[in-house]
Amino acid sequence: MKAAEVLDDLRRRFPNEPEYLQAVEEVITTIEDTYNQYPEFERYNLIERLCIPDRIYSFRVSWVDDKGVVRNNMGYRIQHSNAIGPYKGGIRFHSSVNQSILKFLAFEQTFKNSLTTLAMGGAKGGSDFSPRGKSDMEVMRFCQAFMTELWRHIGADTDVPAGDIGVGGREVGYMYGMYKKMTHEFTGTFTGKGREFGGSLIRPEATGYGNVYFLLNMLATKGIDIKGKRVAISGSGNVATYTAQKLISLGAKVVSMSDSDGTVIIPDGLTEEQMKFIFELKNIYRGRISEFAEEYKLPYYAGQRPWKLVQADIALPSATQNELNGEEARALLANGCIAVSEGANMPSTPEAIKEFLAAKILYAPGKAANAGGVSVSGLEMAQNSQKLSWTAEEVDAKLKSIMAEIHNQCTIFGKEEDGYVNYVKGANVAGFMKVARAMMAQGIV
Ligand code: NDP
Ligand code: 2IT
């Protein structure tokens, strides 16, 4: 089948999976020309095999809450592709989680991991369980119940999960603890583990730092300095906070942060002290960004996203998928935005992406810009295999060079005739070609 026919076919077969179809459409439409240059790909029906996950596990997770009420959630693991390495990707706990969202994430992960230069296939998992408002013991019981099912499908050389939305160090610790109990083995089957039991230095920071490093690479192509630039960030979780921290250290002004309830605007730019407050609020007290706004008497907009509220030179969406639409993209551009680099996975809608590309601004899709997180996960796997741990400086230096190499690959495959770098095309084609060659070499399996 031709690439376009595969897309039509997937639309017919999976009509109830809009996020999955959105991610697949973006990739297929950008790699189509390259794909059609290789008749052997079509003969092997490579694109269809690459779009459909290798397998999907779905299961019921039953647990008991603090009041003694029995709760049932869904659990999933999508093993998308292990053509270039063991399945690898995060676990998301959020009430919105469903099969379509995890399929889009596992699909994206496959191309992202291919770009990292490391040997990792693509996967994603999660549950519609939300840690929000749950006690520590409830979170622990849920994580344990989730693992009593998932453990048999994962392993250090099979499938290595990590964190994502709603899954941070605490949840990884609880899941790893149960995994260890079920298997009687201490292996590197999770990344994002605590420092004391095999976690890598810089893994918590890696996605946010990596996004800023990618941004610096993009800005360097235009000779633009980050110092003094006004940066709008969405989210206030793992990715958003470490992005903000790195930007502050580079002299940029972080003018917004948000959560699922609303946005805070920081007209003069976030200070280090305020940053620390947000970090503790979110990680220790598990509070809301509105409490930060209240504490520092800053403007807060309930139910709103940052993009139309501030003048920003740079936008770094770092919360969730489809959180920046066409209208918001036009508002950002009208206010002089010169760069958008995605900390989250698929945060810009297709219409927003069209606007950014038409305006020819620096626009980096998540699978390139946020690949720093999974890259350091790959480095954690390498350290676990060697039973060694590297210094923060060593890991950070490797992260920087990986982000530079991803930027380089995007430039090679994404440069257009007028010199504009289409990072969407660059990332998709570069990510695709490596996986495609591996699949061709391994036959139809
Ligand atoms: P966290 O759970 O730490 O933080 C998520 C943030 O996004 C919170 O501020 C949360 O608000 C907000 N958010 C989540 N869902 C929604 C929603 N539906 N609408 C509005 N706001 C929402 O997750 P991460 O920081 O780890 O993940 C953020 C993004 O980055 C995700 O897209 C993830 O896939 C991606 N990513 C993460 C990596 C990692 O290493 N952690 C690596 C690469 C990408 P609230 O607290 O109100 O829920
Ligand atoms: O989306 C992502 O890349 C992640 N959530 C991190 C995955 C990982 O395995 O570190």
Side-chain angles (χ1 to χ4, degrees), residues 262-418:
T263 294
V264 61
I265 300 299
I266 314 107
D268 300 328
L270 202 65
T271 63
E272 279 195 29
E273 180 204 304
Q274 290 172 331
M275 181 68 252
K276 213 167 147 244
F277 182 95
I278 294 180
F279 193 80
E280 285 180 7
L281 176 72
K282 286 285 170 181
N283 289 286
I284 300 169
Y285 305 107
R286 301 194 183 265
R288 314 303 306 157
I289 206 72
S290 59
E291 296 169 53
F292 163 71
E294 218 166 281
E295 174 76 17
Y296 288 93
K297 309 267 170 296
L298 290 163
Y300 174 73
Y301 299 85
Q304 293 200 51
R305 305 193 285 222
W307 321 122
K308 295 204 299 197
L309 299 173
V310 273
Q311 185 281 316
D313 305 306
I314 295 164
L316 304 180
S318 307
T320 192
Q321 66 276 353
N322 292 327
E323 55 157 324
L324 198 172
N325 65 26
E327 197 190 326
E328 290 164 319
R330 285 187 284 278
L332 279 171
L333 293 169
N335 278 324
C337 180
I338 53 162
V340 176
S341 194
E342 296 182 341
N345 286 306
M346 206 169 78
S348 306
T349 65
E351 197 191 342
I353 297 174
K354 236 182 235 162
E355 295 286 346
F356 296 144
L357 294 179
K360 294 198 182 267
I361 63 162
L362 298 168
Y363 166 65
K367 66 170 78 68
N370 72 36
V374 76
S375 298
V376 175
S377 279
L379 301 179
E380 184 168 321
M381 289 162 71
Q383 292 169 81
N384 290 169
S385 301
Q386 291 178 293
K387 301 203 163 30
L388 286 175
S389 73
W390 303 334
T391 64
E393 290 71 28
E394 276 175 281
V395 179
D396 198 32
K398 286 188 164 67
L399 171 61
K400 271 189 193 144
S401 74
I402 288 172
M403 296 316 293
E405 180 50 29
I406 297 174
H407 181 270
N408 183 39
Q409 291 179 63
C410 290
T411 309
I412 293 170
F413 290 98
K415 200 169 240 170
E416 295 180 344
E417 270 169 20
D418 62 358

Side-chain angles (χ1 to χ4, degrees), residues 49-179:
R49 283 195 292 132
L50 182 52
C51 288
I52 298 177
D54 286 354
R55 69 190 64 79
I56 298 178
Y57 297 108
S58 64
F59 46 92
R60 171 173 49 76
V61 185
S62 295
W63 58 285
V64 184
D65 73 15
D66 286 347
K67 295 196 180 90
V69 177
V70 176
R71 306 277 204 112
N72 298 302
N73 286 101
M74 284 304 297
Y76 306 89
R77 185 72 179 168
I78 318 281
Q79 294 181 336
H80 191 88
S81 164
N82 65 354
I84 63 170
Y87 300 108
K88 179 81 194 89
I91 291 193
R92 177 177 290 192
F93 291 164
H94 192 269
S95 52
S96 63
V97 162
N98 58 39
Q99 196 161 293
S100 169
I101 288 178
L102 295 180
K103 272 177 74 176
F104 114 65
L105 287 162
F107 175 80
E108 289 275 299
Q109 197 80 45
T110 302
F111 296 87
K112 184 196 303 192
N113 293 3
S114 167
L115 286 171
T116 65
T117 72
L118 305 172
M120 297 182 290
K124 204 83 186 192
S127 173
D128 56 359
F129 167 83
S130 168
R132 187 171 169 177
K134 305 288 190 304
S135 72
D136 206 42
M137 285 297 163
E138 288 178 322
V139 170
M140 183 178 78
R141 286 197 295 275
F142 174 79
C143 289
Q144 293 177 338
F146 183 81
M147 282 316 289
T148 56
E149 187 71 32
L150 188 63
W151 73 276
R152 67 186 83 247
H153 307 302
I154 59 177
D157 294 317
T158 312
D159 182 354
V160 183
D164 193 75
I165 291 177
V167 177
R170 174 181 63 167
E171 291 75 15
V172 168
Y174 291 151
M175 285 190 271
Y176 186 70
M178 187 49 104
Y179 176 77

Side-chain angles (χ1 to χ4, degrees), residues 92 164-166 203 207 236-239 259-260 288 318-319 343-345:
R92 177 177 290 192
D164 193 75
I165 291 177
R203 176 63 190 88
T207 311
S236 48
N238 171 271
V239 179
D259 61 21
S260 51
R288 314 303 306 157
S318 307
N345 286 306

